[in-house]
Amino acid sequence: MPTAIAVTSPDLVLPPHDRQTPPAVVQPLGTLESSLTGMHALIEQHGYVISLYPSSAEGAVTQRLHTVRSVLESDRIALLGIDLPPLGIALLAQQLRQLSVCDFSPGVLASAARLLAHYIYAGALLGSVAKLDRVPVSLKSHAKSWVPGAQFAVLANPRPELIRVGQDTLPGPEFGTRLLSAAGQPPSDWVTTTLAPAWQVQGVATVPLPEESVRWWGTSRMVEFAAGLYDVSVLYQLVSSVRREECHWCGLELIGDRCGFCAAPLPPPSAQELPAAVVRAVSSVHALPRGAT
């Protein structure tokens, strides 16, 4: 069975691209008992669980997830706090679901979340930035948000950006993506009729707005969007191109500099692992005499 991918609410579960993409599960559940039972069943069925939660999630959510892992005393649960808006997390979970049926080990799949998140363009069209505190906003933009009819396009990831709609363009990805759009109130077609062509996306899908989005963006006058890689062969090539290491703490495979399951950082390479030329260069450097410059 493929590694299970979990999210914190049902509205973060996007429809699968095809029949091969497994569904996501929801964790934690309503009570601690049901969360324990559900997580134990997932481990028994899938072997490993990768649970994504927003880094902005309320303390009760993260506390319950960590309590479940602690009570079960399981090293097969990866708890990954992701610094993305809600729709971006839903897209990341969908990508991991696609890759879970490939030949990646659970450790590689968990540590791939940070890599894939870097290629997700997540933002929103906002009618006001007065309560936006997750993306840097200038005083000038705050003042303009009180002008009737003003709209702002905000990019939260991979780098913060804010523009006034109609006065500038929002920088987009330089690779092929599929765009997700989730409308709040009042609805707007700017994302599908203006942003999508400007970004030259290869498809647009409309999905329900996650409940957490209003709190994340600080307003209900919004349309959230997220664009990312969608072809499983491209996702596979991206992840498989990164060098794999072995976690010195739990022994799982990983990519990047940190294990997704035990969070142990990758230790720096030892002198024996460094190229001989580097070792010679380092060993040839002597400390200067005291007072020398």
Side-chain angles (χ1 to χ4, degrees):
M1 291 293 292
T3 300
I5 308 299
V7 291
T8 53
S9 62
D11 53 20
L12 297 180
V13 181
L14 297 176
H17 284 312
D18 49 48
R19 294 182 179 180
Q20 285 70 43
T21 303
V25 295
V26 176
Q27 274 288 343
L29 299 176
T31 65
L32 177 58
E33 183 178 359
S34 60
S35 300
L36 288 167
T37 302
M39 188 68 82
H40 177 74
L42 288 174
I43 297 173
E44 289 293 312
Q45 183 178 2
H46 296 270
Y48 290 85
V49 180
I50 299 173
S51 182
L52 306 180
Y53 64 90
S55 56
S56 60
E58 296 180 353
V61 173
T62 57
Q63 183 178 5
R64 179 164 294 176
L65 284 172
H66 285 274
T67 300
V68 167
R69 185 172 65 176
S70 178
V71 172
L72 293 178
E73 297 183 338
S74 176
D75 57 0
R76 298 190 173 194
I77 303 172
L79 302 180
L80 305 180
I82 306 297
D83 191 19
L84 282 173
L87 192 58
I89 291 180
L91 177 55
L92 177 60
Q94 186 182 58
Q95 292 175 336
L96 291 177
R97 289 159 54 195
Q98 290 177 269
L99 291 173
S100 68
V101 297
C102 300
D103 57 358
F104 293 124
S105 66
V108 169
L109 193 62
S111 52
R114 293 174 63 194
L115 171 67
L116 298 176
H118 179 73
Y119 292 90
I120 291 178
Y121 281 67
L125 173 71
L126 304 178
S128 171
V129 293
K131 296 183 179 180
L132 179 64
D133 58 4
R134 304 189 188 280
V135 179
V137 179
S138 67
L139 290 175
K140 185 177 180 180
S141 296
H142 269 298
K144 289 182 178 179
S145 69
W146 296 102
V147 177
Q151 287 187 315
F152 299 87
V154 183
L155 195 64
N157 193 79
R159 53 190 175 274
E161 190 79 29
L162 184 148
I163 66 165
R164 176 84 177 268
V165 172
Q167 295 183 357
D168 209 340
T169 57
L170 200 63
E174 298 179 353
F175 48 87
T177 61
R178 181 172 180 263
L179 182 70
L180 300 176
S181 174
Q185 295 295 331
S188 170
D189 61 358
W190 179 85
V191 171
T192 56
T193 62
T194 302
L195 184 67
W199 282 8
Q200 298 181 340
V201 300
Q202 299 172 346
V204 179
T206 301
V207 296
L209 183 71
E211 183 178 350
E212 175 69 9
S213 296
V214 173
R215 188 172 75 91
W216 204 98
W217 293 104
T219 179
S220 60
R221 296 165 52 200
M222 57 166 294
V223 179
E224 189 173 11
F225 55 84
L229 300 168
Y230 65 96
D231 189 320
V232 68
S233 63
V234 177
L235 291 167
Y236 181 90
Q237 183 178 6
L238 175 62
V239 175
S240 61
S241 66
V242 182
R243 178 181 173 179
R244 302 185 190 186
E245 306 282 355
E246 182 177 296
C247 178
H248 69 97
W249 183 259
C250 68
L252 290 176
E253 278 189 313
L254 62 90
I255 61 174
D257 60 0
R258 186 173 297 275
C259 178
F261 278 86
C262 70
L266 190 69
S270 64
Q272 290 77 14
E273 295 173 331
L274 290 173
V278 176
V279 175
R280 287 195 299 270
V282 172
S283 61
S284 65
V285 176
H286 301 283
L288 291 173
R290 185 180 299 275
T293 58

